[in-house]
């Protein structure tokens, strides 16, 4: 079992950048890691994912703007978000998956507004 804690959210103006961090309580070396988001009144959706082998995927809405990365030595996953738009406003969650079992963090709020 792994516990996840997200940080780095906040209020940013359109066009700005934020970097989210997801710190795990233990090794994430063998976990697939992902970032999800849930806007008010909408379903949770995947934003970006990164396998333990290094393969990545991104939602079409964030391609070219967001980058997911991991530092296994620090047991941390990052989401670099650039060129933020109002539509990116949501609670962002980190998830770790291994052998069909998923673990979620508590989420961090990102608000994009002028």
């Amino acid at each position: 079992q792994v516990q996840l804690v997200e940080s780095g959210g906040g209020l940013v103006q359109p066009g700005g950048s934020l970097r989210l961090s997801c710190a795990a309580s233990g090794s994430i070396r063998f976990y697939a890691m992902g970032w999800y988001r849930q806007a008010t009144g909408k379903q949770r959706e995947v934003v970006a994912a990164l396998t333990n082998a290094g393969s990545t995927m991104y939602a079409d809405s964030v391609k070219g703007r967001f980058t997911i990365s991991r530092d296994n030595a620090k047991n941390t996953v990052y989401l670099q978000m650039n060129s933020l738009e109002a539509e990116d406003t949501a609670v962002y969650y980190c998830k770790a998956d291994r052998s069909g079992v998923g673990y979620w963090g508590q989420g961090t709020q990102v608000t994009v507004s002028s």
Side-chain angles (χ1 to χ4, degrees):
Q1 187 174 356
V2 62
Q3 295 178 330
L4 305 172
V5 179
E6 301 96 334
S7 62
L11 173 64
V12 63
Q13 291 186 341
S17 298
L18 282 174
R19 188 176 81 155
L20 305 183
S21 298
C22 171
S25 59
S27 175
I28 59 170
R29 185 175 300 276
F30 301 108
Y31 285 82
M33 303 299 297
W35 284 97
Y36 293 70
R37 67 186 180 187
Q38 187 167 18
T40 302
K42 295 187 177 181
Q43 289 189 329
R44 192 171 298 188
E45 61 178 1
V46 62
V47 175
L50 176 59
T51 71
N52 57 349
S55 298
T56 59
M57 69 78 65
Y58 295 93
D60 288 343
S61 60
V62 307
K63 281 181 181 177
R65 300 189 298 122
F66 291 10
T67 303
I68 187 171
S69 62
R70 64 196 295 161
D71 185 336
N72 287 337
K74 295 183 178 180
N75 298 328
T76 301
V77 176
Y78 304 97
L79 185 68
Q80 178 66 44
M81 305 187 295
N82 299 327
S83 302
L84 283 161
E85 305 169 352
E87 292 74 22
D88 297 316
T89 295
V91 178
Y92 284 71
Y93 298 89
C94 178
K95 186 183 182 187
D97 285 280
R98 184 180 180 185
S99 302
V101 180
Y103 303 95
W104 292 92
Q106 84 291 345
T108 185
Q109 175 71 46
V110 172
T111 302
V112 184
S113 175
S114 56

